[in-house]
Structure formats: C-alpha cells, structure tokens
Amino acid sequence: MKFTLGLGSRAWRVSWERPGEGGCALLGGARRISSPRPVRRGSRLARALPLCLSRGGGARALPDCAGPSPGRLGARQLAGPRAMEQTYGEVNQLGGVFVNGRPLPNAIRLRIVELAQLGIRPCDISRQLRVSHGCVSKILARYNETGSILPGAIGGSKPRVTTPNVVKHIRDYKQGDPGIFAWEIRDRLLADGVCDKYNVPSVSSISRILRNKIGSLGQPGPYEASKQPPPQPALPYNHIYQYPYPSPVSPTGAKMGSHHGVPGSASHVSIPRSWPSAHSVSNILGIRTFMEQTGALAGSEGAAYSPKMEDWAGVNRTAFPATPGVNGLEKPALDADIKYTQSASGLSAVGGFLPACAYPASNQHGVYSAPAGGYLAPGPPWSPAQGPPLAPPGAGVTVHGGELAAAMTFKHPSREVADRKPPSPGGKAPDGLSGLHGLPIPASTS
DNA sequence: CACGTAACGGTTGAG
DNA sequence: GTCTCAACCGTTACG
C-alpha cells in the first residue's frame, strides 16, 4: 500500500513505495500502531490534528494543515505513479512529515534550537514545527550538551581494526609499493608490529581501505572524478528518497524538483556519522590536502571524502559557494555541513532567516529533498497571533544568511569530534546562532 | 499541560 | 556481493 491513513494508530502513515522496501516503511516509526494500549491521548491528538484525523471526510477545519494532510497527499498522489515511487514519508501526529529512521533536516533542527533560544517553549516549538516533542526535547538536549544541532553518526561501526594508525601504515605501504597486495600489507602490519594477530585488519578490510580510501590518492578515482566535472545536472538523488513534503507553498507537487532556485533542489542534509571524524581515514590519508593541491577543494570539499560522492556531486558543486575557511574540514563535517547553502530560498518558511538547506544526495539514500519549509506549518493552527511565526523580526538572534551559512557550512575541525562528546566545556553555551552548530565560525579560514 | 525518556521500528555503513 | 551488528534516527506513549 502506498498510502495509509491509520486513524487507530494516530500516526498516519504515508508512504510511497521505495524500491526494495516494499511497504515496510509503513510500519516503521510508530510501533504501536495496533497497540493494545488504551488510546487515552485521543483528545490531545484531536487537538493537535483537529481534522487531519478525520477519516476521509476530514480536514475541513484544518484544510491546509501543514504537512501532508490527507488532502495534500492526495495531491501528491496525483502527481503520478512515478512520483509515488520516488518519495515516501510518514506523517506524525502533529501533521509533520518525517522519514522514519532518518534525521530531521538540519534546517529544522536549527529552527528548533533557534526557537528555543528565542524563549519559545519546547511544546510550542513542537507544535509549530510539527515535530514530536520527544524529538524537540532530544535535539535541544543534545544541543545543550554538545553545542551541536547535528545528529549523531548513523550507521557503520567504529573502526575496530582500521584505526588511523593502521590506515596510515597501509597508506605508507601502498605508496611505497603501489603493487603491494592486501595480504602483503597485512603481513607487514603484523611484522611491523602495527597490529597484532588479534586486531590486524582482514585482507578484505585492507582491500576496502585501499579501494575506498587510498585508491583515490594515486589516481583520479571516483572521488576526484566526481568533483572535476563541471556542474553536472544534479543527480536525481532526490528521487531516491524524496521527502513527500508537499511544500506548503506549492502543494501541487511542483515542489520537488527544484526548489526555488536551489540548485539540485535538494534541500536536504544528510548527517554523516561523526565518530569517524576523529580519525577520518580520508583526512588521515591526506586526501584533503591532495584535493587542495589540485584546487578541487574549493566549493566541493566534500567531494573528496564521500565514497559515494558521485551520488551528490553535482549538487554540492553547484549549490555550494566556494568559500574560504574550509581547510581542515573532515569529511563528516563536510558531509553534513556542506549541504547548507547560502540560498535561503529553499526554505519557504524559514527563508530569509536561515540559509537554505540544500540537501545534496548524500551517500545516504534517505534524503529529505524538500525544503524545510515543507515541515513547517504554513499557518499554524494554533497560530500565535504574532507575526511570521518562523521569522521573528529582529528577534535578537537574527543572523545573516551568509553568516549563518558559514556557521552551518563549515565546521571547525577541532569541534568535529566534539560533536559527539561535549567537548568544549564552555563552548556549548549557544552564543547566538553563530555557534548553533557548535561550530565556531572560523575567523580565519585556515 | 509540559517534559524527560524508554520502547520501538526503521536506516545506515564498517567490518 | 551479502550479511551482521551496533550505532543513530524520530515518533509514540508512559510517567
């Protein structure tokens, strides 16, 4: 099924089949769909979703309730089967759209923090952004703890054997003897005492390292290739995981393709794992340096790191303004931050206040491709009688798009690791948006 | 009513 | 190329 409105579950599942996933996504997230648990929150939900809940007849009182309301979804469905196949998502109780298992776009995360800093209560932020309060709580807690709005590293596992040191040695071996075999490297690691028999990388691991990391050093590997070509048409990564965010502004579905001039249309940020940042193989291997030397780094730093850069190459390249101050960035940081672009046009509701969040197709398939605005309620039902809900005029925390973009875009290496662990004792104090990421804006581009 | 958090099903990516 | 596993995700519901 592609679209389900589960009243009983209270969480509407709106899913567009994704290749290979069948309807699984439909069951994700709200596990208690058929939970025997007494629905004692019905009333509350009813408040939150006055009409969205209504079966079929529904949304009258909340005709345009933000997020894909049933009606909206309908519109999307009308967009055609193709679109249906390419996008999917779910709608939470508040009417917000989310992708189960995937982080909220950074724009939203940022917005949450911003609003919190403006004194908005978490519950209100939750309602306004249509993000579950649990999530708001989590994000704020995380921010308070780490000073970063970025989600944690998803997937993978911490290197158990391929430590930076090991990788370094592998690189050395490889550079010393380009024709060396993986098993030879393995032997040498043992012989040199770099590893012992218990933690020596397997041949396959070494091969992978050679292929994915080191390989790019000596040859115009995929990474380089992906960055060299001139802005190629943005890859349709969007289709892979298009967020069915019906742009509140343009519910018709025109929304997806390109957003208000945002190249690549991707308004998504895929959050990279951050733990590896501490010992980013690429960095360790000096790939970045290499890239810099080739001059390819500017504006496309990330390209040098992502093993799957080709997936989102075009976007980054075109959407990302060449900016100084990228040195020292590691892949993780870039993966995450590079996605932010200066263009604020991508954020309908946040626009002007936040830099657009261009989500290049990351190496992750789950990409929110719609503008963050899609998350936002066009007009909060609970609407505070104040002006633009999301763009508090002169709300103290106003930040220059560019300035913020800078903050969002580049992460200081030293903070990299910090993302995960509260690094800076004092650094977490959100000092204005410039520090929202927990990323001090590098004064000097170094 | 607001909020912290466990449980849950999901995604991801290194090994 | 496939599988495993442990990390993370956001939502839901409990307390």
Side-chain angles (χ1 to χ4, degrees):
Chain A
M1 114 209 285
K2 312 211 162 179
F3 173 111
T4 314
L5 239 190
L7 184 56
S9 71
R10 294 193 257 162
W12 310 353
R13 276 171 213 292
V14 185
S15 294
W16 284 268
E17 226 166 75
R18 186 168 59 171
E21 287 207 359
C24 285
L26 294 178
L27 299 179
R31 58 200 181 186
R32 285 150 193 151
I33 282 193
S34 53
S35 166
R37 183 181 290 178
V39 182
R40 71 182 171 83
R41 287 183 169 0
S43 59
R44 182 184 294 183
L45 176 59
R47 274 198 303 283
L49 294 173
L51 280 178
C52 291
L53 283 180
S54 58
R55 241 171 254 169
R60 263 187 279 135
L62 205 53
D64 236 339
C65 72
S69 65
R72 208 179 276 297
L73 286 170
R76 293 192 67 64
Q77 286 185 310
L78 291 179
R82 165 157 267 130
M84 298 303 288
E85 296 175 339
Q86 300 177 339
T87 62
Y88 78 101
E90 298 175 43
V91 180
N92 62 27
Q93 294 178 346
L94 297 175
V97 179
F98 71 98
V99 175
N100 194 23
R102 305 300 304 135
L104 287 172
N106 279 12
I108 298 301
R109 309 176 75 89
L110 176 62
R111 194 67 200 154
I112 289 171
V113 173
E114 288 173 356
L115 293 177
Q117 291 185 346
L118 290 176
I120 308 288
R121 292 182 308 174
C123 60
D124 289 334
I125 294 174
S126 171
R127 285 188 284 258
Q128 181 167 345
L129 299 182
R130 296 177 187 282
V131 170
S132 68
H133 89 269
C135 182
V136 169
S137 175
K138 194 178 291 184
I139 289 175
L140 290 177
R142 186 193 198 88
Y143 175 65
N144 288 331
E145 182 185 351
T146 69
S148 171
I149 65 168
L150 296 176
I154 299 175
S157 54
K158 297 183 180 181
R160 285 169 260 197
V161 293
T162 55
T163 61
N165 185 48
V166 170
V167 172
K168 175 181 178 298
H169 279 82
I170 293 175
R171 178 199 56 187
D172 291 342
Y173 298 152
K174 186 66 177 179
Q175 290 181 332
D177 179 7
I180 192 170
F181 289 112
W183 62 266
E184 291 178 306
I185 291 177
R186 187 170 188 275
D187 287 347
R188 288 195 59 179
L189 287 172
L190 287 170
D192 292 352
V194 176
C195 304
D196 56 38
K197 63 180 179 180
Y198 298 108
N199 65 4
V200 64
S202 65
V203 172
S204 63
S205 291
I206 293 173
S207 293
R208 180 181 288 114
I209 292 171
L210 292 173
R211 180 174 65 251
N212 297 339
K213 315 295 182 183
I214 299 178
S216 63
L217 275 178
Q219 55 193 359
Y223 312 142
E224 191 171 357
S226 70
K227 61 174 170 55
Q228 282 297 15
Q232 39 187 279
L235 292 178
Y237 49 79
N238 280 331
H239 74 285
I240 297 176
Y241 194 108
Q242 270 197 334
Y243 226 155
Y245 294 132
S247 163
V249 178
S250 60
T252 58
K255 51 4 155 198
M256 277 314 167
S258 64
H259 295 320
H260 325 295
V262 175
S265 78
S267 172
H268 162 78
V269 171
S270 122
I271 308 310
R273 45 189 315 91
S274 55
W275 59 258
S277 58
H279 32 243
S280 162
V281 174
S282 297
N283 201 39
I284 293 167
L285 297 180
I287 291 177
R288 188 181 62 73
T289 299
F290 170 74
M291 297 306 292
E292 286 178 296
Q293 293 175 338
T294 63
L297 197 56
S300 63
E301 313 78 52
Y305 304 101
S306 174
K308 296 181 181 176
M309 207 49 189
E310 60 275 17
D311 288 346
W312 50 286
V315 177
N316 270 351
R317 231 127 292 144
T318 58
F320 210 45
T323 310
V326 296
N327 292 346
L329 293 179
E330 296 180 68
K331 171 179 181 287
L334 290 170
D335 269 356
D337 303 329
I338 195 170
K339 283 104 182 176
Y340 292 96
T341 67
Q342 299 274 358
S343 167
S345 57
L347 297 175
S348 57
V350 185
F353 189 64
L354 291 178
C357 181
Y359 287 38
S362 63
N363 44 3
Q364 301 184 12
H365 289 293
V367 294
Y368 298 84
S369 58
Y375 276 95
L376 308 175
W382 54 283
S383 174
Q386 41 199 14
L390 295 182
V397 192
T398 51
V399 170
H400 248 236
E403 189 178 333
L404 181 52
M408 299 294 290
T409 301
F410 303 112
K411 177 183 287 185
H412 193 287
S414 63
R415 289 299 303 255
E416 246 302 75
V417 181
D419 254 5
R420 282 199 154 247
K421 282 297 147 196
S424 52
K428 48 147 20 48
D431 80 77
L433 291 178
S434 62
L436 272 185
H437 248 204
L439 314 175
I441 298 178
S444 66
T445 80
S446 74

